[in-house]
Amino acid sequence: MMAGQATDELLRVLVLILDLAGTFAFALSGATAGVRRQLDIFGVLVLSFAASTFGGITRDVVIGAVPPAALQDWRYLAVSIAAGLICFFWSSLIEKLRNPVRMLDAMGLALFAVAGTEKALAFGLSPVMAALLGMLTGIGGGVARDVLLAEIPGVLRSDLYAVAALVGAAIVVIGHMLYFPILLTACGGGLACFSLRMVAIRRGWHLPQASERKRPQD
């Protein structure tokens, strides 16, 4: 009984840490994109909050963990606002990173994919559905950011975006099924997702894309 309680507490703390870390990474990504579009400070903060919480809110609603953690825990809002202010006032420091939006987006993708999968498993979802929900958690923030900026969501055209999230989530699920330590599977899944995403960006790996077809003339 004590071992089970300790495991549950470790999982709860791990999900919270991953969630907040992912919130910060996606908030930076969203805010940086907003600064590049020359939004005002309110617009940057809205984009920061939406990009950093949409995936987690969607996950919590789907599994019935309501109200969503991002709407009842002040730390999520505080983290997203802090990240937004950092980007707004010190955007030049963020821009010194190579491809800052993509790198921060990859970090958020990995953290949220792992956290979403772990939380889905804790709520009793099947391994397949837990992996899919982990992927959805990971891609949600990027979708929200791109939609608010009137862009085609990166998940529909980027280099192995959702695939990278699904790989990370699958590793977490497999580790869970094999009774591997939670921290080991979380680190393995997160590193796999982040590494695959960054390598895909640098080498231009992507899934087959639809080609434009000419319409027959009348």
Side-chain angles (χ1 to χ4, degrees):
M1 180 65 71
M2 294 297 294
Q5 291 177 348
T7 300
D8 292 342
E9 179 64 17
L10 175 61
L11 181 58
R12 186 189 69 80
V13 173
L14 177 63
V15 170
L16 177 61
I17 293 174
L18 291 173
D19 255 0
L20 291 177
T23 296
F24 187 73
F26 261 131
L28 287 175
S29 170
T32 301
V35 169
R36 287 180 173 180
R37 289 295 191 92
Q38 297 183 323
L39 302 184
D40 62 21
I41 187 169
F42 182 75
V44 169
L45 293 180
V46 168
L47 197 61
S48 173
F49 181 74
S52 64
T53 59
F54 186 79
I57 290 175
T58 302
R59 173 201 63 204
D60 290 351
V61 169
V62 170
I63 64 178
V66 292
L71 300 182
Q72 66 175 338
D73 190 334
W74 63 270
R75 287 173 290 191
Y76 289 85
L77 177 61
V79 167
S80 67
I81 289 178
L85 292 175
I86 289 172
C87 283
F88 188 83
F89 290 106
W90 295 284
S91 60
S92 59
L93 297 178
I94 303 297
E95 289 293 349
K96 288 182 180 179
L97 300 173
R98 184 177 181 182
N99 297 321
V101 174
R102 285 187 170 186
M103 188 186 73
L104 293 168
D105 187 78
M107 291 174 60
L109 181 71
L111 291 165
F112 272 157
V114 171
T117 307
E118 293 284 10
K119 193 165 186 177
L121 290 171
F123 272 73
L125 268 67
S126 67
V128 173
M129 296 310 299
L132 291 176
L133 190 57
M135 178 190 70
L136 179 62
T137 306
I139 68 177
V143 170
R145 178 197 63 223
D146 293 344
V147 169
L148 288 174
L149 291 175
E151 297 179 354
I152 298 175
V155 65
L156 302 180
R157 56 181 172 79
S158 288
D159 310 321
L160 302 186
Y161 193 84
V163 172
L166 188 58
V167 169
I171 290 175
V172 173
V173 167
I174 293 172
H176 174 79
M177 295 173 65
L178 296 177
Y179 301 101
F180 287 170
I182 295 175
L183 290 177
L184 178 63
T185 57
C187 291
L191 286 174
C193 177
F194 179 79
S195 300
L196 179 58
R197 176 71 181 126
M198 293 305 296
V199 171
I201 290 173
R202 295 192 176 188
R203 298 193 177 184
W205 293 348
H206 57 79
L207 297 177
Q209 297 176 323
S211 58
E212 183 179 359
R213 296 183 180 182
K214 295 182 179 180
R215 294 182 179 179
Q217 297 181 351
D218 295 333

